[in-house]
Amino acid sequence: MTKQQLGSQAGPPSLSHVGSTSAWPTHAIVREVGLRDGLQSISRVLPTARKQQWIRAAYEAGQREIEVGSFVPARLLPQLADTAELVQFAKTLPGLFVSVLVPNLIGAQRAMDEQADMMLVPLSASHAHSVANLRKTPKEAIAEVARMRAERDARGSRTRLEVGIGTAFGCTLQGRVEADDVLALLRDALDAGADQVSLADTVGHADPASVLALFSAARNVAGDRLCCGHFHDTRGLALANVIAALQTGIERYDASLAGIGGCPHAPGASGNAATEDLVYMLQAMHIQTGIDLPRLLELREQVADWLAGESLHGTLWRAGIPAHQAPAFPSSIRAGASSALI
């Protein structure tokens, strides 16, 4: 509901107006990032066979975008050392859009070698976090993006290049991050050759008002090339922040099964938006995701067994789907899932 709509009413909004879904998109994409953002925050190394089970089960539940890992040195993140094997496996599933995180040109080359559909390059609007996480200043990181784009063009590769602007709403190392710095970095990323860009609340400093303001400003800069929101639930606001981003037209969101996740170089960056909670919220709002929620909850139960003893998050698994709503959720799978970005 817009401010103009509210202002035009003499009294409180009518129930029919409140119930209107015209403010929301009809479809949204939920990209699963638990296999990368989630597992990198857990010291346990999940066996490759288990990860393949996770990918297949998520696919069978209707997820069509999965970030399967990251091409970083195994000595730094042994939890993700099998990323190449996971890309190869995921590429055997028809219609699955397979993404990987790449921190540098070498990682990008590996992603293209394996024919990943998407390589996500993390940049940080916080100078302190950029140096800690990438060992590069933001300006140096942009130069690396340009080298990745040049390499892709030289190869004739079809792997898309997404730049994710992290710590966009604040940083535990630096503190305040100015919106102007975020927007400048976003412009630089597009100028350097990124196909699309996304904004991430890496440490959970965002609130719905700041999300609405920054995503609106970023849309004015990037248009439809601003393609995704990535929210951590550190302070319990991840889903509220999704609601705010939806109002700016964003239809794609990162989430992690059981809400696992975090950044090794960002103290306090606990927990992504839980995939199952996000899917429930979207579909309860009549925003279709193509995901079979009961199957997703079964997968969560499996993953919880595999990660017994680890801190898991989310609330739907505990409360369950209300009985009167249950018949509506599995039906979404019959419509088929697709990626609006391919």
Side-chain angles (χ1 to χ4, degrees):
M1 189 183 302
T2 66
K3 187 180 294 184
Q4 289 78 7
Q5 287 172 321
L6 283 171
S8 67
Q9 299 178 16
S14 67
L15 289 177
S16 61
H17 192 96
V18 172
S20 171
T21 59
S22 61
W24 314 116
T26 58
H27 293 78
I29 296 166
V30 178
R31 176 171 60 179
E32 178 59 53
V33 299
L35 287 139
R36 193 277 301 172
D37 198 347
L39 295 182
Q40 76 175 15
S41 66
I42 294 173
S43 59
R44 181 182 316 186
V45 177
L46 198 64
T48 302
R50 293 291 196 208
K51 295 180 186 179
Q52 291 173 337
Q53 282 182 261
W54 183 342
I55 292 168
R56 182 177 291 280
Y59 176 80
E60 290 175 348
Q63 289 195 272
R64 290 297 180 267
E65 290 203 21
I66 302 177
E67 188 176 80
V68 300
S70 176
F71 284 114
V72 296
R75 62 182 172 79
L76 298 178
L77 285 175
Q79 305 95 314
L80 307 180
D82 55 358
T83 293
E85 189 172 349
L86 294 177
V87 173
Q88 293 164 15
F89 171 77
K91 292 288 289 181
T92 67
L93 301 174
L96 181 59
F97 195 73
V98 182
S99 62
V100 292
L101 183 139
V102 300
N104 52 35
L105 179 59
I106 293 173
Q109 290 168 335
R110 295 186 66 191
M112 289 184 278
D113 288 343
E114 299 299 337
Q115 299 182 23
D117 296 302
M118 174 86 75
M119 49 186 172
L120 172 63
V121 186
L123 268 62
S124 181
S126 159
H127 186 281
H129 180 257
S130 183
V131 172
N133 192 40
L134 297 174
R135 299 178 184 174
K136 295 181 179 68
T137 66
K139 184 174 290 188
E140 290 168 340
I142 287 291
E144 190 79 350
V145 171
R147 286 189 282 271
M148 294 180 196
R149 176 57 188 259
E151 175 76 8
R152 190 190 72 175
D153 290 350
R155 289 177 176 227
S157 170
R158 297 174 63 87
T159 299
R160 293 180 64 81
L161 176 58
E162 178 181 329
V163 168
I165 310 294
T167 61
F169 296 88
C171 172
T172 48
L173 298 176
Q174 177 176 302
R176 183 178 177 85
V177 173
E178 299 296 336
D180 286 347
D181 292 339
V182 177
L183 298 176
L185 192 61
L186 186 148
R187 290 188 192 93
D188 289 344
L190 293 171
D191 289 344
D195 295 306
Q196 55 204 51
V197 288
S198 54
L199 295 178
D201 179 25
T202 310
V203 293
H205 285 190
D207 61 81
S210 64
V211 169
L212 184 61
L214 186 58
F215 271 80
S216 295
R219 291 278 283 185
N220 288 336
V221 172
D224 290 341
R225 296 169 74 185
L226 176 65
C227 68
C228 187
H230 180 111
F231 299 108
H232 282 235
D233 202 37
T234 312
R235 292 166 179 82
L237 291 177
L239 295 189
N241 291 333
V242 169
I243 291 289
L246 281 168
Q247 293 179 62
T248 71
I250 300 298
E251 298 179 359
R252 181 167 170 260
Y253 297 91
D254 289 344
S256 176
L257 198 68
I260 55 177
C263 176
H265 300 288
S270 58
N272 288 278
T275 304
E276 62 276 15
D277 290 3
L278 175 58
V279 170
Y280 171 74
M281 183 188 78
L282 291 171
Q283 295 187 183
M285 295 169 62
H286 306 288
I287 300 172
Q288 295 303 311
T289 65
I291 295 172
D292 186 319
L293 188 55
R295 285 192 186 184
L296 194 65
L297 288 171
E298 290 174 6
L299 174 58
R300 187 202 189 277
E301 190 172 342
Q302 274 191 306
V303 172
D305 286 340
W306 300 340
L307 300 178
E310 303 289 350
S311 295
L312 305 181
H313 308 282
T315 55
L316 182 67
W317 70 275
R318 187 182 295 114
I321 301 170
H324 73 280
Q325 292 180 339
F329 281 90
S331 64
S332 66
I333 195 71
R334 291 197 287 268
S338 63
S339 170
L341 300 175
I342 301 174

